[in-house]
Amino acid sequence: MSSVDKRLNALQEKSLSRGTAPIVIETLVFIIPCLVGLIGNILVLWIVKKKRNEGKVIYLFIGALAVTDVSLLAISPILALPALVLEKWPFSDLVCQFHAFYMISLASASILLMAATAINRYFQVVRPNYYRILFTPSRTRFLICGTFLFACFAPVPYLASGEKYTFNPGKGLCFQKPNLKPASLYVYFTGSWSMLVLTTCYIKIFKSIHNHQARVTAMQQNSNFISGPSVQDIKATLKTSRCQGEIKVGFTCALPQNRLDLIFTLGSLIIASLK
C-alpha cells in the first residue's frame, strides 16, 4: 500500500468516528451552497432566454456557464451527499469513475469558459475594432463547443496513465490521488492556465477603463475644451462603467477550487516526505 493510500485510509478512519452534530453541520454546509448555486444559475438561464433576441454574444458565454454549473450542481450532489454523510463510497467503482470524470470535465469547462468570457470582455473593451470581427455569433458558438470538448479531455491523461479515481474522505467524493505525476497535475495546469488568462485580461481591461475615464475627466476639466466630451466618449464611459461592475463580480467569483487544491496537495506531499 502506497503512502497516499495509507493517508486516505487514516483520514477515512478518523472521519468515521464523527458525531451526529458534525455530520449535520457538514451536510448543511454542503447542501445550502449547492441549492443557492442551482437556483441562481436557473434564474440566469431564464434571464438569458428573455434577452436572447438582443443578439449579444456575451449572453452565449453566460448561458453556457450557467448550463455547465446547473449540470454539475444538479447531478454531482446526488452521489456526493450519501458519501459525505457515510464517509465512504456507497456505490460501485464504475459509478465512482463516472462521477469523478463527470465532475472534473464540467469543472474544467466552467473554468475554461470563464477564461473565454474574459477574452471576450478584453476585446470588447480594449480592442473594440477587432471585437465584431472575431466574436460573431457563429464563431462564439464554435468557441464554446470547442471549450466543452477540450474540457472533456482534462480527466483523460490521469486515466490513460493507468490510475483510477478513488474516494477521498477529505473531499467527500471520488477524485484523483494526490501525487506529483504529470498526468495528475494536468487538471491543475488547465485551471491555472485559465486563471492566468482570466487575470491578465481583467488587469488590461481595468487599465483601459481607468485610462479612458482619466481622459474624459481631463477633457472636462480643460478650460480650453469648451464643447466638452463627445457623445461617443460619454457612451463609452457609461459602457465601460457597466463592464467594470460586471468584471468585479465575475473576477471575485472566478477563483477555482483546483488552485487551492493544488496548494494543499503539494503541502501534504512535502510534509509526508519529511516524515
Side-chain angles (χ1 to χ4, degrees), residues 17 27 72 104 197 205:
S17 61
T27 302
L72 183 62
I104 293 174
V197 172
I205 290 170

Side-chain angles (χ1 to χ4, degrees), residues 109-211:
S110 181
I111 297 170
L112 289 170
L113 282 171
M114 284 191 288
T117 305
I119 295 173
N120 174 271
R121 299 288 85 190
Y122 167 81
F123 276 98
Q124 185 180 31
V125 176
V126 183
R127 296 286 187 267
N129 293 334
Y130 299 98
Y131 179 74
R132 293 187 179 276
I133 300 175
L134 295 175
F135 289 95
T136 61
S138 58
R139 289 179 179 177
T140 301
R141 292 187 181 93
F142 180 80
L143 175 61
I144 292 173
C145 292
T147 301
F148 278 111
L149 291 176
F150 185 76
C152 291
F153 180 76
V156 172
Y158 180 80
L159 296 174
S161 66
E163 297 283 356
K164 294 181 65 177
Y165 296 116
T166 57
F167 176 69
N168 190 318
K171 300 179 182 296
L173 45 81
C174 289
F175 200 69
Q176 61 187 33
K177 295 179 181 179
N179 56 55
L180 295 178
K181 294 181 179 179
S184 301
L185 295 177
Y186 177 79
V187 65
Y188 300 115
F189 169 78
T190 302
S192 299
W193 173 83
S194 301
M195 195 63 187
L196 177 62
V197 172
L198 185 147
T199 304
T200 302
C201 288
Y202 283 163
I203 288 175
K204 291 183 178 295
I205 290 170
F206 281 127
K207 286 183 178 180
S208 178
I209 292 174
H210 175 75
N211 292 337

Side-chain angles (χ1 to χ4, degrees), residues 83-114:
L84 178 67
V85 174
L86 300 175
E87 276 301 332
K88 63 180 181 180
W89 187 250
F91 309 104
S92 65
D93 180 67
L94 180 62
V95 176
C96 178
Q97 305 307 309
F98 166 78
H99 179 237
F101 188 96
Y102 180 83
M103 181 191 62
I104 293 174
S105 297
L106 287 179
S108 299
S110 181
I111 297 170
L112 289 170
L113 282 171
M114 284 191 288

